[in-house]
Amino acid sequence: MEFFIFLCFMSFVSFAVAFLAYGLVIRLMGTTSSASRYSQIILVPIAIIGYDFLTITAPAEYRYVIGGLPMLLLGLMLLYYRFGKGGSMYDAPAPSEIKKVSKKSLKHQAKKNKVK
């Protein structure tokens, strides 16, 4: 039973490390260059395998602590983006509010306002 729990735990650790590594590559290299694409393909799996190896080879008392660090960091990042930046997804304008107004409709609106 303990092996199954550890296996599930390592799945969450791998996801958290992948998310953090991908975000770091995107943050440092951007999204448009080919170097960024190759870095995503190479560095993210290396980070996952390396951190999983570090977690598995740690002493039994510290495995869950070491494995929990990326999940804790991911949770802190999510809390920062939710509360620290002062915005939420509900504050964003609706897609219909973002719609660009064409020059033709502005002219039509101006004519309409002149007539009244």
Side-chain angles (χ1 to χ4, degrees), residues 47-102:
I48 295 168
I49 293 169
Y51 202 83
D52 285 349
F53 181 75
L54 179 73
T55 304
I56 291 170
T57 58
E61 308 86 52
Y62 300 114
R63 281 186 185 154
Y64 291 102
V65 174
I66 292 173
L69 290 177
M71 291 186 284
L72 179 67
L73 185 60
L74 187 62
L76 290 173
M77 280 177 45
L78 292 173
L79 287 174
Y80 169 73
Y81 280 107
R82 172 64 172 97
F83 298 111
K85 291 189 90 169
S88 71
M89 65 181 192
Y90 301 112
D91 294 341
S96 61
E97 295 173 2
I98 299 174
K99 186 171 67 173
K100 293 183 179 179
V101 180
S102 68

Side-chain angles (χ1 to χ4, degrees), residues 102-114:
S102 68
K103 290 182 181 179
K104 187 176 179 181
S105 74
L106 287 174
K107 287 180 183 178
H108 178 70
Q109 188 67 28
K111 281 183 183 180
K112 213 173 171 184
N113 290 338
K114 277 186 179 180

Side-chain angles (χ1 to χ4, degrees), residues 18 21-48:
Y22 178 75
L24 190 62
V25 167
I26 295 296
R27 180 80 163 178
L28 294 177
M29 298 188 144
T31 57
T32 57
S33 68
S34 63
S36 171
R37 183 70 183 144
Y38 290 125
S39 297
Q40 292 170 25
I41 293 170
I42 294 169
L43 294 178
V44 172
I46 288 174
I48 295 168

